[in-house]
């Protein structure tokens, strides 16, 4: 009894500590990342002044001067136009663009600005920079995990992001739409599609009703993405306890969770509002008409499926699994209950090689005539109801508020499983609220040690205490009463002028993609175990400037790319600089950067002339060898293999993103984990990259296409072919030595061998 009382007191005390929420003054905030810049820092006086093209250069040069480091000279015009074109569009400049720029007689300031403006107005810009955000958003076209089901309309969110960059949608509006696009005073198809950000992470969507704890894992995925991707904080580390390093309370985690707790994932018809509601009501009524006969079919098939499953378990699984299944439910140990839940599922049949068609054949053979006849009657009822179903309009995968406890059955919910595990609601309710009255968010609880089965007190919505100034609203009531307004309040807190983190994180990410390293190199961790900023005053200046320029990414591109810092050469040796800053943290020369996976493929196709620049729409499925596809079960996921050819040569941002089967070419060049938010990419140098460029059929085909294009443009003129090949691949003519080697190669082998070699040279793969 004494132990129980002591444990209760300790537990109560831990809850009180977790819920304690101190108010912090500006000077009490324990880490510079959380401090607000009181005003925009003044650019320092730095010499030589002729190097300072804009305020960015003043900050960079002042830091170099303090360390007695000399900046590199500017790169030449050919080098700069190649750099800026790759950087903004992910494609090489055309020889015509290079000639026009190098021969432009306008002053450098005007000529450079003209090129940047031209590239920013290109639709290629949105495709390039959307890919950076899609990494943050953990975007994919499939669910992930074992089933890895297709997300038929996920691509609409991808197109929303591309369009947002091309339109230069202000970043604050961009964030608000993705978090609360359905809660705006005026919602649009676009703003609703934007909420796909919240559901872009991996989901099982299989036997969800048997595993209600998954709801908290999905919420954790959203919190981790908002934390790392927007705030630059590892908020998810406070799920089970206060953060070990940063001043983030466990109470903060569950306050954030309460802010998003009402969200549910739905398919939304892209119709006028009244038609959309009518469509959803009609389809819901038809679904209900089909529910009972479908459940009766499953009851009829259950004993036959159980026999098949038992055969598979006995044949393919360890004895322990069979014993767990054969033991009566009320006599199973905890381990046996878990094991039985894992194997008592029809998916075990497909894992063991019994396809859906084989399963149907066996059911037809083994069911009694009476059961077959009864099943056919039920199937006829389902088919008759389907005849009343309206044609499906264009649909979007969105988020809105609802009650997850009443989520309609989805694929895999009504299978052999764990009925005793399921949420049991004593009162009737609805998945989506359509009135009367106002929507109420289901109760959201503090979880003791993060355990979804150990509920603490009910939580109210809130934010991260250390990054909250004043008393911002945590709920903004909506006029229609259909949603809570909590996500809208969260979005407005994130984009508030008083919140110092999102603007810092965003401009730091822009800096990283331009210079190869962020001012804070840990792009998604501005906390204590993240790296400190190399230029803290510059980071604050950029963050305030970004807000003052209307949260415009294009304005920041213009500012950064017309600086002397961005125009520095990458090839510059200085022993004193190396001694004082061997890793170039202070940016005394431009960092060479290997192109990311998608850009490698795009640049190859652009150089060969085969690229299809069609914008948006359904994803493509470049060819994957059958021996790789055969390793993936036929019932899991989707890959509509397309033979290599022009129809598959669209830009890589449009390649289907399957979580359990990444396009192998991308994996070779360091595609990040598609299941979690990724602020930046690792860059490796491994043998498989060279082997891929040497032997991959796609690369060989593009080299052949490149050679054919050169022969058309300069027939029977090897010297001109060699010159054009270098201009297209490397943005420069060959040196005399290169021209001699190339001529020998073409004469002894073929022009195709030369184009293949150019795809493999280091210079082709690097932004310099």
């Amino acid at each position: 009894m004494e132990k129980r009382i002591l444990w209760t007191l300790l537990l109560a005390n831990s809850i009180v500590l977790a819920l304690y929420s101190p108010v912090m003054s500006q000077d009490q905030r324990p880490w510079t990342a959380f401090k607000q810049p009181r005003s925009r820092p003044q650019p320092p006086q730095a010499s030589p002044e002729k190097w300072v093209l804009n305020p960015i250069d003043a900050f960079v040069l002042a830091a170099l001067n303090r360390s007695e480091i000399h900046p590199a000279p500017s790169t030449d015009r050919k080098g700069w136009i190649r750099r800026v074109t790759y950087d903004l569009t992910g494609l090489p400049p055309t020889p015509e663009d290079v000639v026009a720029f190098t021969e432009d007689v306008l002053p450098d300031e005007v000529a450079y600005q003209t090129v940047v403006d031209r590239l920013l107005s290109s639709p290629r810009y949105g495709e390039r920079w959307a890919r950076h955000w899609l990494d943050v958003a953990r975007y994919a076209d499939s669910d992930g995990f074992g089933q890895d089901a297709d997300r038929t309309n996920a691509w609409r969110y991808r197109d929303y992001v591309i369009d947002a960059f091309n339109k230069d949608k202000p970043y604050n509006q961009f964030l608000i739409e993705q978090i609360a696009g359905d809660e705006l005073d005026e919602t649009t198809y676009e703003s609703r599609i934007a909420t796909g950000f919240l559901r872009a992470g991996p989901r099982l969507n299989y036997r969800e009703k048997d595993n209600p704890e998954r709801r908290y894992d999905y919420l954790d995925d959203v919190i981790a993405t908002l934390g790392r991707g927007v705030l630059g904080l590892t908020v998810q580390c406070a799920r089970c306890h206060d953060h070990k390093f940063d001043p983030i309370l466990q109470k903060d985690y569950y306050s954030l969770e309460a802010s998003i707790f009402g969200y549910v994932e739905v398919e939304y018809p892209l119709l006028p509002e009244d038609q959309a509601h009518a469509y959803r009501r009609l389809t819901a009524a038809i679904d209900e008409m089909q529910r009972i006969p479908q459940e009766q079919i499953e009851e009829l098939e259950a004993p036959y499926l159980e026999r098949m499953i038992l055969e598979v378990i006995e044949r393919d699984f360890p004895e322990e699994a069979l014993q767990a299944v054969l033991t009566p439910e009320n006599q199973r140990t905890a381990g046996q209950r878990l094991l039985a839940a894992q194997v008592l599922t029809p998916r075990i049949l497909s894992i063991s090689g019994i396809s859906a068609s084989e399963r149907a054949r066996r059911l037809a053979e083994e069911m009694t005539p009476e059961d077959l006849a009864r099943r056919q009657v039920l199937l006829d009822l389902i088919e008759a109801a389907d005849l009343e179903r309206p044609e499906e309009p264009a649909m979007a995968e969105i988020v809105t508020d609802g009650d997850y406890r009443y989520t309609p059955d989805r694929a895999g919910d009504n299978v052999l499983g764990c009925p005793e595990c399921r949420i049991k609601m004593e009162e009737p309710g609805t998945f989506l609220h359509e009135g009367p009255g106002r929507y109420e968010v289901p109760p959201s609880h503090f979880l003791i040690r993060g355990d979804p089965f150990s509920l603490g007190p009910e939580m109210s919505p809130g934010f991260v205490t250390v990054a909250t100034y004043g008393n911002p609203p945590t709920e903004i009531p909506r006029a229609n009463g259909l949603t809570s307004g909590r996500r809208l309040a969260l979005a407005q807190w994130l984009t508030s002028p008083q919140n110092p983190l999102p603007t810092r994180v965003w401009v730091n990410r822009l800096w990283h993609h331009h210079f190869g390293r962020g001012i804070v190199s840990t792009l998604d961790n501005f906390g204590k175990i993240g790296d400190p900023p190399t230029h803290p005053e510059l980071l604050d200046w950029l963050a305030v400037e970004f807000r003052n320029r209307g949260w415009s990414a294009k304005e920041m591109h213009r500012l950064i790319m017309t600086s002397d810092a961005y125009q520095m050469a990458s090839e510059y040796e200085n022993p004193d600089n190396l001694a004082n800053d061997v890793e170039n943290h202070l940016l005394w020369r431009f960092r060479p950067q290997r192109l990311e996976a998608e850009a490698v493929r795009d640049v190859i196709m652009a150089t060969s002339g085969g690229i299809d620049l069609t914008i948006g729409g359904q994803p493509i499925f470049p060819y994957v060898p059958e021996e790789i596809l055969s390793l993936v079960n036929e019932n899991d996921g989707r890959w509509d293999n397309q033979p290599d050819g022009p129809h598959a040569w669209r830009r890589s941002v449009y390649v289907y993103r399957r979580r359990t089967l990444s396009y192998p070419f991308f994996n070779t060049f360091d595609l990040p984990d598609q299941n979690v938010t990724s602020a930046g990419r690792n860059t490796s140098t491994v043998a498989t990259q060279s082997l891929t460029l040497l032997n991959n059929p796609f690369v060989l085909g593009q080299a052949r296409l490149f050679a054919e294009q050169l022969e058309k443009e300069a027939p029977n003129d090897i010297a001109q072919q060699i010159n054009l090949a270098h201009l297209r691949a490397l943005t420069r003519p060959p040196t005399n030595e290169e021209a001699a080697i190339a001529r020998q190669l073409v004469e002894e082998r073929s022009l195709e061998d030369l184009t293949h070699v150019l795809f493999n040279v280091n210079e082709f793969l690097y932004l310099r």
Side-chain angles (χ1 to χ4, degrees):
M1 178 63 72
E2 290 179 354
K3 288 184 178 179
R4 183 177 299 174
I5 293 172
L6 178 60
W7 169 247
T8 303
L9 289 172
L10 287 171
L11 184 61
N13 186 52
S14 69
I15 294 174
V16 170
L17 288 174
L19 295 177
Y20 176 63
S21 179
V23 176
M24 298 183 182
S25 71
Q26 172 81 335
D27 294 331
Q28 290 173 323
R29 294 176 194 270
W31 187 243
T32 55
F34 306 110
K35 293 183 182 295
Q36 285 180 307
R38 289 186 171 89
S39 61
R40 185 175 63 176
Q42 286 298 313
Q45 293 295 319
S47 61
E49 292 185 1
K50 65 180 180 180
W51 195 82
V52 180
L53 292 181
N54 69 35
I56 288 174
D57 299 321
F59 288 103
V60 172
L61 187 58
L64 294 175
N65 288 342
R66 285 194 295 270
S67 298
E68 298 182 351
I69 294 173
H70 304 285
S74 296
T75 189
D76 62 20
R77 283 199 172 193
K78 284 189 177 71
W80 185 84
I81 193 172
R82 184 174 192 271
R83 178 186 300 173
V84 73
T85 308
Y86 273 74
D87 210 349
L88 286 180
T89 70
L91 299 173
T94 66
E96 295 76 19
D97 290 338
V98 176
V99 170
F101 178 62
T102 55
E103 295 181 356
D104 193 336
V105 296
L106 290 172
D108 283 354
E109 182 179 350
V110 178
Y112 282 46
Q113 184 71 61
T114 301
V115 171
V116 172
D117 288 343
R118 173 176 60 80
L119 294 172
L120 287 174
S121 65
S122 166
R124 312 283 82 83
Y125 160 75
E127 293 169 330
R128 165 68 162 171
W129 280 79
R131 184 62 260 167
H132 297 322
W133 179 257
L134 293 172
D135 282 356
V136 174
R138 77 267 187 247
Y139 167 80
D141 294 292
S142 69
D143 281 343
F145 299 108
Q147 295 297 110
D148 204 14
D150 176 46
R151 294 181 176 177
T152 309
N153 294 294
W155 60 270
R156 296 188 192 279
Y157 171 73
R158 174 251 287 156
D159 281 2
Y160 160 82
V161 177
I162 293 172
D163 190 55
F165 275 94
N166 277 330
K167 289 179 176 177
D168 197 23
K169 189 184 290 285
Y171 182 61
N172 55 344
Q173 182 184 349
F174 184 59
L175 286 180
I176 289 171
E177 288 179 352
Q178 291 180 89
I179 296 166
D182 63 311
E183 294 199 301
L184 303 178
D185 291 338
E186 293 185 12
T187 61
T188 63
Y189 295 157
E190 183 179 2
S191 70
R192 289 184 180 274
I193 289 169
T195 63
F197 168 77
L198 294 176
R199 61 180 293 179
R203 303 287 186 267
L204 279 93
N205 284 330
Y206 187 82
R207 289 178 63 180
E208 297 287 319
K209 297 291 182 67
D210 291 350
N211 300 276
E213 69 278 4
R214 289 180 186 162
R215 168 75 177 175
Y216 295 95
D217 291 336
Y218 302 158
L219 290 163
D220 187 72
D221 161 71
V222 175
I223 290 172
T225 303
L226 289 172
R228 292 174 54 198
V230 179
L231 289 167
L233 298 176
T234 52
V235 180
Q236 77 278 8
C237 294
R239 181 178 181 179
C240 305
H241 48 69
D242 288 352
H243 201 289
K244 295 296 186 183
F245 304 101
D246 297 332
I248 302 172
L249 308 172
Q250 191 180 7
K251 177 261 179 187
D252 292 340
Y253 178 94
Y254 288 103
S255 296
L256 275 177
E257 186 176 272
S259 295
I260 60 173
F261 198 79
Y263 103 98
V264 292
E265 300 174 1
V266 300
E267 307 300 303
Y268 185 82
L270 298 178
L271 296 169
E273 195 72 20
D274 56 339
Q275 295 180 35
H277 285 301
Y279 173 83
R280 288 163 67 174
R281 282 194 297 269
L282 179 56
T283 54
I286 293 171
D287 289 342
E288 183 61 23
M289 290 170 58
Q290 293 178 325
R291 181 181 61 82
I292 294 177
Q294 183 61 48
E295 289 176 352
Q296 292 174 339
I297 288 173
E298 288 159 2
E299 288 177 9
L300 282 172
E301 293 179 346
Y304 301 96
L305 286 174
E306 285 179 3
R307 284 202 292 270
M308 288 188 219
I309 291 169
L310 281 172
E311 288 176 15
V312 166
I313 293 171
E314 186 173 8
R315 185 188 71 204
D316 298 341
F317 287 80
E319 176 68 22
E320 293 82 357
L322 182 62
Q323 288 302 319
V325 170
L326 295 177
T327 301
E329 284 187 18
N330 59 355
Q331 297 178 23
R332 290 173 185 161
T333 65
Q336 286 180 321
R337 286 197 296 273
L338 177 62
L339 190 54
Q342 290 173 331
V343 297
L344 279 177
T345 165
R347 186 167 181 268
I348 291 297
L349 300 175
S350 59
I351 290 174
S352 298
I354 301 177
S355 65
S357 57
E358 173 67 10
R359 191 185 318 167
R361 184 190 64 78
R362 287 195 56 179
L363 283 171
E365 290 177 353
E366 297 175 13
M367 292 179 76
T368 65
E370 294 78 12
D371 284 346
L372 283 172
R374 176 60 180 158
R375 186 178 68 163
Q376 188 57 52
V377 170
L378 296 169
L379 288 171
D380 290 342
L381 290 174
I382 293 172
E383 184 178 352
D386 258 335
L387 294 176
E388 303 299 320
R389 190 179 296 275
E391 182 179 354
E392 184 177 88
M395 303 290 285
E397 299 178 4
I398 73 160
V399 156
T400 191
D401 276 354
D403 193 330
Y404 74 98
R405 297 169 297 182
Y406 297 97
T407 302
D409 287 335
R410 293 174 176 170
D413 279 340
N414 288 326
V415 298
L416 302 175
C418 178
E420 67 273 16
C421 301
R422 298 192 171 195
I423 300 171
K424 299 176 178 65
M425 298 301 296
E426 296 179 357
E427 299 179 1
T430 60
F431 177 51
L432 299 179
H433 179 73
E434 295 187 356
R438 303 192 68 82
Y439 165 77
E440 293 185 8
V441 181
S444 170
H445 292 271
F446 185 99
L447 303 184
I448 309 303
R449 295 185 176 178
D451 182 356
F453 300 104
S454 298
L455 301 183
E458 187 172 340
M459 296 298 294
S460 298
F463 315 124
V464 178
T465 303
V466 72
T468 301
Y469 294 79
N471 189 30
T474 58
E475 192 167 307
I476 301 174
R478 302 288 76 210
N480 60 17
L482 300 180
T483 62
S484 68
R486 290 185 180 184
R487 283 180 289 111
L488 182 58
L490 170 62
Q492 292 193 358
W493 169 72
L494 287 169
T495 56
S496 164
Q498 283 71 47
N499 191 333
L501 282 167
T503 49
R504 283 193 183 115
V505 170
W506 180 243
V507 297
N508 186 64
R509 187 175 293 128
L510 290 176
W511 189 271
H512 163 82
H513 289 306
H514 283 307
F515 289 102
R517 187 182 192 274
I519 296 173
V520 175
S521 64
T522 48
L523 304 180
D524 57 2
N525 191 348
F526 278 47
K528 287 188 177 180
I529 61 173
D531 288 342
T534 54
H535 302 77
E537 296 85 4
L538 173 58
L539 181 62
D540 277 348
W541 186 90
L542 289 168
V544 176
E545 186 73 9
F546 177 48
R547 186 179 291 118
N548 290 349
R549 293 190 180 214
W551 301 74
S552 165
K554 288 189 177 182
E555 282 294 304
M556 300 310 291
H557 291 307
R558 292 185 179 97
L559 183 66
I560 290 171
M561 302 180 87
T562 55
S563 69
D564 233 332
Y566 185 81
Q567 294 173 21
M568 282 191 289
S570 60
E571 295 184 11
Y572 176 63
E573 297 297 331
N574 185 306
D576 293 335
N577 289 4
L578 286 171
N580 292 327
D581 183 18
V582 67
E583 294 188 10
N584 191 27
H585 287 170
L586 297 180
L587 196 60
W588 50 269
R589 64 182 175 190
F590 190 82
R591 295 182 186 87
Q593 303 160 49
R594 213 237 18 243
L595 298 175
E596 65 268 24
E598 296 90 339
V600 173
R601 178 176 176 271
D602 289 351
V603 168
I604 287 173
M605 294 188 298
T607 303
S608 75
I611 194 167
D612 176 357
L613 294 176
T614 303
I615 300 173
Q618 297 274 359
I620 59 169
F621 297 80
Y623 182 76
V624 172
E626 291 298 332
E627 57 267 28
I628 295 177
L629 292 179
S630 66
L631 298 175
V632 184
N633 188 280
E634 67 177 38
N635 294 319
D636 293 345
R638 173 190 180 194
W639 192 272
D640 304 341
N641 225 3
Q642 296 175 278
D644 191 41
H647 51 279
W649 293 343
R650 295 185 63 203
R651 289 203 70 174
S652 297
V653 71
Y654 301 117
V655 171
Y656 187 86
R657 293 295 176 123
R658 178 171 167 182
R659 296 187 198 271
T660 59
L661 179 66
S662 302
Y663 182 48
F665 187 93
F666 294 163
N667 276 342
T668 302
F669 289 94
D670 305 306
L671 185 75
D673 184 348
Q674 299 178 106
N675 294 297
V676 295
T677 179
S678 300
R681 296 192 178 190
N682 295 324
T683 302
S684 67
T685 303
V686 294
T688 49
Q689 293 164 358
S690 296
L691 293 171
T692 295
L693 292 174
L694 284 170
N695 302 307
N696 184 277
F698 163 74
V699 178
L700 294 172
Q702 293 296 309
R704 186 180 312 113
L705 186 64
F706 188 12
E708 291 170 357
Q709 185 68 25
L710 294 172
E711 288 171 345
K712 288 179 183 177
E713 293 185 24
N716 304 316
D717 188 341
I718 293 179
Q720 181 64 2
Q721 290 170 353
I722 291 170
N723 190 61
L724 283 173
H726 282 76
L727 288 174
R728 291 192 184 281
L730 307 179
T731 322
R732 62 170 179 80
T735 64
N736 291 337
E737 183 181 7
E738 288 171 335
I741 294 172
R743 174 173 281 277
Q744 182 180 359
L745 178 61
V746 172
E747 289 176 344
E748 294 180 0
R749 301 286 297 271
S750 69
L751 182 58
E752 185 179 326
D753 284 305
L754 172 62
T755 57
H756 189 201
V757 166
L758 289 174
F759 286 162
N760 281 265
V761 299
N762 181 283
E763 187 178 347
F764 181 78
L765 298 174
Y766 277 79
L767 174 68
R768 298 180 182 275

